[in-house]
PDB file of all heavy atoms in Angstrom:
ATOM      1  N   TRP A  20     -65.731  49.019 -57.661  1.00 72.00           N
ATOM      2  CA  TRP A  20     -66.636  48.233 -58.509  1.00 72.00           C
ATOM      3  C   TRP A  20     -68.074  48.714 -58.356  1.00 72.00           C
ATOM      4  O   TRP A  20     -68.899  48.538 -59.244  1.00 72.00           O
ATOM      5  CB  TRP A  20     -66.539  46.755 -58.132  1.00 72.00           C
ATOM      6  CG  TRP A  20     -65.153  46.194 -58.284  1.00 72.00           C
ATOM      7  CD1 TRP A  20     -64.316  45.809 -57.278  1.00 72.00           C
ATOM      8  CD2 TRP A  20     -64.429  45.961 -59.502  1.00 72.00           C
ATOM      9  NE1 TRP A  20     -63.114  45.358 -57.789  1.00 72.00           N
ATOM     10  CE2 TRP A  20     -63.165  45.431 -59.149  1.00 72.00           C
ATOM     11  CE3 TRP A  20     -64.725  46.149 -60.845  1.00 72.00           C
ATOM     12  CZ2 TRP A  20     -62.208  45.088 -60.089  1.00 72.00           C
ATOM     13  CZ3 TRP A  20     -63.774  45.812 -61.786  1.00 72.00           C
ATOM     14  CH2 TRP A  20     -62.530  45.288 -61.416  1.00 72.00           C
ATOM     15  N   PHE A  21     -68.399  49.279 -57.183  1.00 67.00           N
ATOM     16  CA  PHE A  21     -69.751  49.781 -56.938  1.00 67.00           C
ATOM     17  C   PHE A  21     -69.657  51.143 -56.266  1.00 67.00           C
ATOM     18  O   PHE A  21     -68.730  51.404 -55.492  1.00 67.00           O
ATOM     19  CB  PHE A  21     -70.539  48.828 -56.021  1.00 67.00           C
ATOM     20  CG  PHE A  21     -70.617  47.416 -56.529  1.00 67.00           C
ATOM     21  CD1 PHE A  21     -69.762  46.440 -56.031  1.00 67.00           C
ATOM     22  CD2 PHE A  21     -71.538  47.067 -57.491  1.00 67.00           C
ATOM     23  CE1 PHE A  21     -69.833  45.138 -56.489  1.00 67.00           C
ATOM     24  CE2 PHE A  21     -71.610  45.771 -57.958  1.00 67.00           C
ATOM     25  CZ  PHE A  21     -70.762  44.803 -57.457  1.00 67.00           C
ATOM     26  N   ARG A  55     -47.844  28.363 -28.790  1.00 67.00           N
ATOM     27  CA  ARG A  55     -47.886  29.721 -29.294  1.00 67.00           C
ATOM     28  C   ARG A  55     -46.511  30.357 -29.224  1.00 67.00           C
ATOM     29  O   ARG A  55     -45.713  30.071 -28.337  1.00 67.00           O
ATOM     30  CB  ARG A  55     -48.865  30.576 -28.485  1.00 67.00           C
ATOM     31  CG  ARG A  55     -50.303  30.070 -28.503  1.00 67.00           C
ATOM     32  CD  ARG A  55     -50.829  29.879 -29.906  1.00 67.00           C
ATOM     33  NE  ARG A  55     -50.679  31.086 -30.715  1.00 67.00           N
ATOM     34  CZ  ARG A  55     -50.762  31.099 -32.022  1.00 67.00           C
ATOM     35  NH1 ARG A  55     -50.937  29.984 -32.699  1.00 67.00           N
ATOM     36  NH2 ARG A  55     -50.632  32.229 -32.673  1.00 67.00           N
ATOM     37  N   VAL A  56     -46.211  31.248 -30.148  1.00 76.00           N
ATOM     38  CA  VAL A  56     -44.922  31.924 -30.172  1.00 76.00           C
ATOM     39  C   VAL A  56     -44.964  33.139 -29.259  1.00 76.00           C
ATOM     40  O   VAL A  56     -46.039  33.660 -28.960  1.00 76.00           O
ATOM     41  CB  VAL A  56     -44.569  32.356 -31.608  1.00 76.00           C
ATOM     42  CG1 VAL A  56     -44.400  31.145 -32.494  1.00 76.00           C
ATOM     43  CG2 VAL A  56     -45.612  33.303 -32.167  1.00 76.00           C
ATOM     44  N   GLY A 136     -58.935  55.536 -73.513  1.00 91.00           N
ATOM     45  CA  GLY A 136     -59.103  56.948 -73.185  1.00 91.00           C
ATOM     46  C   GLY A 136     -60.209  57.194 -72.189  1.00 91.00           C
ATOM     47  O   GLY A 136     -60.625  58.350 -71.989  1.00 91.00           O
ATOM     48  N   ARG A 150     -54.745  62.760 -66.318  1.00 91.00           N
ATOM     49  CA  ARG A 150     -54.491  61.806 -65.225  1.00 91.00           C
ATOM     50  C   ARG A 150     -55.691  60.860 -65.123  1.00 91.00           C
ATOM     51  O   ARG A 150     -56.839  61.299 -65.006  1.00 91.00           O
ATOM     52  CB  ARG A 150     -54.261  62.542 -63.901  1.00 91.00           C
ATOM     53  CG  ARG A 150     -53.177  63.612 -63.988  1.00 91.00           C
ATOM     54  CD  ARG A 150     -52.992  64.326 -62.667  1.00 91.00           C
ATOM     55  NE  ARG A 150     -52.374  63.456 -61.670  1.00 91.00           N
ATOM     56  CZ  ARG A 150     -52.186  63.807 -60.393  1.00 91.00           C
ATOM     57  NH1 ARG A 150     -52.602  64.997 -59.968  1.00 91.00           N
ATOM     58  NH2 ARG A 150     -51.610  62.975 -59.560  1.00 91.00           N
ATOM     59  N   SER A 156     -61.204  54.508 -57.374  1.00 88.00           N
ATOM     60  CA  SER A 156     -62.027  55.649 -56.987  1.00 88.00           C
ATOM     61  C   SER A 156     -61.341  56.982 -57.235  1.00 88.00           C
ATOM     62  O   SER A 156     -61.957  58.029 -57.064  1.00 88.00           O
ATOM     63  CB  SER A 156     -62.417  55.539 -55.505  1.00 88.00           C
ATOM     64  OG  SER A 156     -61.264  55.515 -54.688  1.00 88.00           O
ATOM     65  N   ALA A 177     -37.435  38.403 -54.550  1.00 97.00           N
ATOM     66  CA  ALA A 177     -36.315  38.450 -53.610  1.00 97.00           C
ATOM     67  C   ALA A 177     -36.453  37.387 -52.522  1.00 97.00           C
ATOM     68  O   ALA A 177     -35.474  36.729 -52.151  1.00 97.00           O
ATOM     69  CB  ALA A 177     -36.221  39.838 -52.984  1.00 97.00           C
ATOM     70  N   ILE A 178     -37.668  37.193 -52.016  1.00 97.00           N
ATOM     71  CA  ILE A 178     -37.909  36.157 -50.997  1.00 97.00           C
ATOM     72  C   ILE A 178     -37.601  34.783 -51.575  1.00 97.00           C
ATOM     73  O   ILE A 178     -36.923  33.965 -50.942  1.00 97.00           O
ATOM     74  CB  ILE A 178     -39.364  36.228 -50.499  1.00 97.00           C
ATOM     75  CG1 ILE A 178     -39.587  37.472 -49.639  1.00 97.00           C
ATOM     76  CG2 ILE A 178     -39.708  34.980 -49.681  1.00 97.00           C
ATOM     77  CD1 ILE A 178     -41.038  37.685 -49.241  1.00 97.00           C
ATOM     78  N   ARG A 182     -34.686  32.253 -50.274  1.00 93.00           N
ATOM     79  CA  ARG A 182     -35.088  30.969 -49.696  1.00 93.00           C
ATOM     80  C   ARG A 182     -34.814  29.789 -50.636  1.00 93.00           C
ATOM     81  O   ARG A 182     -35.079  28.644 -50.272  1.00 93.00           O
ATOM     82  CB  ARG A 182     -36.579  30.999 -49.348  1.00 93.00           C
ATOM     83  CG  ARG A 182     -36.944  32.021 -48.277  1.00 93.00           C
ATOM     84  CD  ARG A 182     -38.430  31.985 -47.961  1.00 93.00           C
ATOM     85  NE  ARG A 182     -38.815  30.695 -47.429  1.00 93.00           N
ATOM     86  CZ  ARG A 182     -38.748  30.341 -46.142  1.00 93.00           C
ATOM     87  NH1 ARG A 182     -38.296  31.211 -45.252  1.00 93.00           N
ATOM     88  NH2 ARG A 182     -39.128  29.157 -45.741  1.00 93.00           N
ATOM     89  N   ARG A 190     -45.049  31.458 -63.975  1.00 96.00           N
ATOM     90  CA  ARG A 190     -45.214  32.412 -62.874  1.00 96.00           C
ATOM     91  C   ARG A 190     -44.431  33.691 -63.139  1.00 96.00           C
ATOM     92  O   ARG A 190     -44.906  34.781 -62.826  1.00 96.00           O
ATOM     93  CB  ARG A 190     -44.780  31.766 -61.558  1.00 96.00           C
ATOM     94  CG  ARG A 190     -45.002  32.655 -60.344  1.00 96.00           C
ATOM     95  CD  ARG A 190     -45.021  31.888 -59.047  1.00 96.00           C
ATOM     96  NE  ARG A 190     -46.183  30.997 -58.955  1.00 96.00           N
ATOM     97  CZ  ARG A 190     -46.560  30.383 -57.839  1.00 96.00           C
ATOM     98  NH1 ARG A 190     -45.864  30.541 -56.724  1.00 96.00           N
ATOM     99  NH2 ARG A 190     -47.613  29.597 -57.841  1.00 96.00           N
ATOM    100  N   THR A 212     -45.932  61.352 -55.707  1.00 93.00           N
ATOM    101  CA  THR A 212     -45.519  60.693 -54.469  1.00 93.00           C
ATOM    102  C   THR A 212     -45.100  59.252 -54.734  1.00 93.00           C
ATOM    103  O   THR A 212     -44.093  58.777 -54.197  1.00 93.00           O
ATOM    104  CB  THR A 212     -46.666  60.708 -53.455  1.00 93.00           C
ATOM    105  OG1 THR A 212     -47.054  62.059 -53.197  1.00 93.00           O
ATOM    106  CG2 THR A 212     -46.250  60.052 -52.153  1.00 93.00           C
ATOM    107  N   PHE A 234     -24.600  51.695 -58.500  1.00 91.00           N
ATOM    108  CA  PHE A 234     -23.920  52.511 -59.501  1.00 91.00           C
ATOM    109  C   PHE A 234     -24.573  52.313 -60.873  1.00 91.00           C
ATOM    110  O   PHE A 234     -24.829  53.288 -61.598  1.00 91.00           O
ATOM    111  CB  PHE A 234     -22.434  52.132 -59.561  1.00 91.00           C
ATOM    112  CG  PHE A 234     -21.626  52.982 -60.484  1.00 91.00           C
ATOM    113  CD1 PHE A 234     -21.373  54.312 -60.182  1.00 91.00           C
ATOM    114  CD2 PHE A 234     -21.117  52.457 -61.661  1.00 91.00           C
ATOM    115  CE1 PHE A 234     -20.617  55.110 -61.038  1.00 91.00           C
ATOM    116  CE2 PHE A 234     -20.371  53.248 -62.533  1.00 91.00           C
ATOM    117  CZ  PHE A 234     -20.120  54.578 -62.217  1.00 91.00           C
ATOM    118  N   ILE A 238     -26.609  55.204 -63.110  1.00 93.00           N
ATOM    119  CA  ILE A 238     -26.308  55.513 -64.518  1.00 93.00           C
ATOM    120  C   ILE A 238     -27.570  55.385 -65.370  1.00 93.00           C
ATOM    121  O   ILE A 238     -27.872  56.250 -66.205  1.00 93.00           O
ATOM    122  CB  ILE A 238     -25.197  54.578 -65.044  1.00 93.00           C
ATOM    123  CG1 ILE A 238     -23.872  54.890 -64.345  1.00 93.00           C
ATOM    124  CG2 ILE A 238     -25.048  54.723 -66.558  1.00 93.00           C
ATOM    125  CD1 ILE A 238     -22.740  53.954 -64.729  1.00 93.00           C
ATOM    126  N   PHE A 256     -43.896  70.264 -62.408  1.00 72.00           N
ATOM    127  CA  PHE A 256     -43.775  71.685 -62.748  1.00 72.00           C
ATOM    128  C   PHE A 256     -43.817  72.596 -61.536  1.00 72.00           C
ATOM    129  O   PHE A 256     -43.059  73.553 -61.416  1.00 72.00           O
ATOM    130  CB  PHE A 256     -44.873  72.073 -63.753  1.00 72.00           C
ATOM    131  CG  PHE A 256     -46.249  72.183 -63.147  1.00 72.00           C
ATOM    132  CD1 PHE A 256     -46.793  73.424 -62.851  1.00 72.00           C
ATOM    133  CD2 PHE A 256     -47.007  71.050 -62.885  1.00 72.00           C
ATOM    134  CE1 PHE A 256     -48.063  73.541 -62.304  1.00 72.00           C
ATOM    135  CE2 PHE A 256     -48.276  71.158 -62.333  1.00 72.00           C
ATOM    136  CZ  PHE A 256     -48.799  72.403 -62.042  1.00 72.00           C
ATOM    137  N   ARG A 270     -46.927  77.279 -52.368  1.00 59.00           N
ATOM    138  CA  ARG A 270     -47.771  76.568 -53.326  1.00 59.00           C
ATOM    139  C   ARG A 270     -47.066  75.320 -53.878  1.00 59.00           C
ATOM    140  O   ARG A 270     -47.665  74.543 -54.610  1.00 59.00           O
ATOM    141  CB  ARG A 270     -48.126  77.523 -54.485  1.00 59.00           C
ATOM    142  CG  ARG A 270     -49.140  76.969 -55.472  1.00 59.00           C
ATOM    143  CD  ARG A 270     -50.505  76.781 -54.860  1.00 59.00           C
ATOM    144  NE  ARG A 270     -51.424  76.177 -55.800  1.00 59.00           N
ATOM    145  CZ  ARG A 270     -51.513  74.869 -56.036  1.00 59.00           C
ATOM    146  NH1 ARG A 270     -50.724  74.037 -55.397  1.00 59.00           N
ATOM    147  NH2 ARG A 270     -52.392  74.400 -56.898  1.00 59.00           N
ATOM    148  N   ASN A 302     -60.231  65.025 -37.390  1.00 90.00           N
ATOM    149  CA  ASN A 302     -60.739  66.390 -37.256  1.00 90.00           C
ATOM    150  C   ASN A 302     -59.976  67.320 -38.198  1.00 90.00           C
ATOM    151  O   ASN A 302     -58.914  67.842 -37.879  1.00 90.00           O
ATOM    152  CB  ASN A 302     -60.575  66.865 -35.816  1.00 90.00           C
ATOM    153  CG  ASN A 302     -61.087  68.281 -35.610  1.00 90.00           C
ATOM    154  OD1 ASN A 302     -61.948  68.750 -36.343  1.00 90.00           O
ATOM    155  ND2 ASN A 302     -60.548  68.964 -34.611  1.00 90.00           N
ATOM    156  N   ASN A 306     -63.878  66.953 -43.308  1.00 76.00           N
ATOM    157  CA  ASN A 306     -64.219  65.724 -42.597  1.00 76.00           C
ATOM    158  C   ASN A 306     -64.829  66.074 -41.244  1.00 76.00           C
ATOM    159  O   ASN A 306     -64.700  65.333 -40.288  1.00 76.00           O
ATOM    160  CB  ASN A 306     -62.966  64.862 -42.411  1.00 76.00           C
ATOM    161  CG  ASN A 306     -63.300  63.415 -42.092  1.00 76.00           C
ATOM    162  OD1 ASN A 306     -64.223  62.841 -42.645  1.00 76.00           O
ATOM    163  ND2 ASN A 306     -62.547  62.808 -41.198  1.00 76.00           N
ATOM    164  N   VAL A 311     -71.049  70.161 -34.341  1.00 62.00           N
ATOM    165  CA  VAL A 311     -70.194  70.029 -33.170  1.00 62.00           C
ATOM    166  C   VAL A 311     -69.278  71.241 -33.088  1.00 62.00           C
ATOM    167  O   VAL A 311     -68.654  71.628 -34.078  1.00 62.00           O
ATOM    168  CB  VAL A 311     -69.343  68.736 -33.243  1.00 62.00           C
ATOM    169  CG1 VAL A 311     -68.325  68.718 -32.114  1.00 62.00           C
ATOM    170  CG2 VAL A 311     -70.247  67.524 -33.158  1.00 62.00           C
ATOM    171  N   PRO A 314     -62.878  73.753 -31.557  1.00 85.00           N
ATOM    172  CA  PRO A 314     -61.951  74.838 -31.238  1.00 85.00           C
ATOM    173  C   PRO A 314     -60.834  74.995 -32.266  1.00 85.00           C
ATOM    174  O   PRO A 314     -60.052  75.947 -32.183  1.00 85.00           O
ATOM    175  CB  PRO A 314     -61.380  74.411 -29.882  1.00 85.00           C
ATOM    176  CG  PRO A 314     -61.481  72.918 -29.881  1.00 85.00           C
ATOM    177  CD  PRO A 314     -62.725  72.600 -30.653  1.00 85.00           C
ATOM    178  N   LYS A 355     -31.251  38.449 -43.973  1.00 91.00           N
ATOM    179  CA  LYS A 355     -30.058  38.388 -44.804  1.00 91.00           C
ATOM    180  C   LYS A 355     -30.449  38.327 -46.280  1.00 91.00           C
ATOM    181  O   LYS A 355     -31.611  38.136 -46.624  1.00 91.00           O
ATOM    182  CB  LYS A 355     -29.224  37.153 -44.459  1.00 91.00           C
ATOM    183  CG  LYS A 355     -28.704  37.117 -43.032  1.00 91.00           C
ATOM    184  CD  LYS A 355     -27.921  35.827 -42.780  1.00 91.00           C
ATOM    185  CE  LYS A 355     -27.412  35.763 -41.340  1.00 91.00           C
ATOM    186  NZ  LYS A 355     -26.676  34.489 -41.076  1.00 91.00           N
ATOM    187  N   GLY A 356     -29.464  38.474 -47.127  1.00 92.00           N
ATOM    188  CA  GLY A 356     -29.643  38.229 -48.550  1.00 92.00           C
ATOM    189  C   GLY A 356     -30.478  39.272 -49.263  1.00 92.00           C
ATOM    190  O   GLY A 356     -30.706  40.388 -48.787  1.00 92.00           O
ATOM    191  N   PHE A 390     -48.933  45.810 -43.949  1.00 97.00           N
ATOM    192  CA  PHE A 390     -48.719  44.884 -42.835  1.00 97.00           C
ATOM    193  C   PHE A 390     -48.878  43.421 -43.254  1.00 97.00           C
ATOM    194  O   PHE A 390     -48.282  42.532 -42.641  1.00 97.00           O
ATOM    195  CB  PHE A 390     -49.659  45.222 -41.678  1.00 97.00           C
ATOM    196  CG  PHE A 390     -49.223  46.412 -40.884  1.00 97.00           C
ATOM    197  CD1 PHE A 390     -49.949  47.598 -40.911  1.00 97.00           C
ATOM    198  CD2 PHE A 390     -48.075  46.370 -40.121  1.00 97.00           C
ATOM    199  CE1 PHE A 390     -49.538  48.710 -40.181  1.00 97.00           C
ATOM    200  CE2 PHE A 390     -47.653  47.467 -39.375  1.00 97.00           C
ATOM    201  CZ  PHE A 390     -48.386  48.647 -39.409  1.00 97.00           C
ATOM    202  N   VAL A 394     -45.355  41.580 -42.235  1.00 97.00           N
ATOM    203  CA  VAL A 394     -45.416  40.558 -41.176  1.00 97.00           C
ATOM    204  C   VAL A 394     -44.388  39.461 -41.433  1.00 97.00           C
ATOM    205  O   VAL A 394     -43.946  38.779 -40.487  1.00 97.00           O
ATOM    206  CB  VAL A 394     -46.853  39.976 -41.068  1.00 97.00           C
ATOM    207  CG1 VAL A 394     -47.196  39.133 -42.288  1.00 97.00           C
ATOM    208  CG2 VAL A 394     -47.007  39.159 -39.793  1.00 97.00           C
ATOM    209  N   TYR A 395     -43.983  39.295 -42.675  1.00 97.00           N
ATOM    210  CA  TYR A 395     -42.967  38.279 -43.020  1.00 97.00           C
ATOM    211  C   TYR A 395     -41.706  38.439 -42.183  1.00 97.00           C
ATOM    212  O   TYR A 395     -41.129  37.452 -41.722  1.00 97.00           O
ATOM    213  CB  TYR A 395     -42.622  38.396 -44.506  1.00 97.00           C
ATOM    214  CG  TYR A 395     -41.530  37.458 -44.964  1.00 97.00           C
ATOM    215  CD1 TYR A 395     -41.832  36.163 -45.391  1.00 97.00           C
ATOM    216  CD2 TYR A 395     -40.190  37.858 -44.991  1.00 97.00           C
ATOM    217  CE1 TYR A 395     -40.823  35.298 -45.809  1.00 97.00           C
ATOM    218  CE2 TYR A 395     -39.187  37.004 -45.407  1.00 97.00           C
ATOM    219  CZ  TYR A 395     -39.508  35.732 -45.815  1.00 97.00           C
ATOM    220  OH  TYR A 395     -38.516  34.873 -46.222  1.00 97.00           O
ATOM    221  N   ASN A 405     -41.216  18.858 -32.963  1.00 40.00           N
ATOM    222  CA  ASN A 405     -41.678  18.917 -31.580  1.00 40.00           C
ATOM    223  C   ASN A 405     -42.382  20.225 -31.238  1.00 40.00           C
ATOM    224  O   ASN A 405     -42.764  20.453 -30.093  1.00 40.00           O
ATOM    225  CB  ASN A 405     -40.506  18.695 -30.618  1.00 40.00           C
ATOM    226  CG  ASN A 405     -39.451  19.794 -30.715  1.00 40.00           C
ATOM    227  OD1 ASN A 405     -39.613  20.759 -31.462  1.00 40.00           O
ATOM    228  ND2 ASN A 405     -38.375  19.648 -29.953  1.00 40.00           N
ATOM    229  N   PRO A 414     -30.537  36.267 -34.867  1.00 34.00           N
ATOM    230  CA  PRO A 414     -30.808  36.326 -33.441  1.00 34.00           C
ATOM    231  C   PRO A 414     -32.236  35.984 -33.086  1.00 34.00           C
ATOM    232  O   PRO A 414     -33.140  36.109 -33.888  1.00 34.00           O
ATOM    233  CB  PRO A 414     -30.503  37.790 -33.103  1.00 34.00           C
ATOM    234  CG  PRO A 414     -30.799  38.529 -34.367  1.00 34.00           C
ATOM    235  CD  PRO A 414     -30.435  37.603 -35.483  1.00 34.00           C
TER     236      PRO A 414
END
Side-chain angles (χ1 to χ4, degrees):
W20 301 111
F21 304 99
R55 300 306 306 164
V56 296
R150 307 179 70 185
S156 60
I178 289 174
R182 296 181 62 86
R190 184 161 293 192
T212 302
F234 184 69
I238 292 176
F256 74 102
R270 187 67 184 83
N302 180 25
N306 198 40
V311 172
K355 298 178 181 179
F390 283 112
V394 69
Y395 177 88
N405 64 3

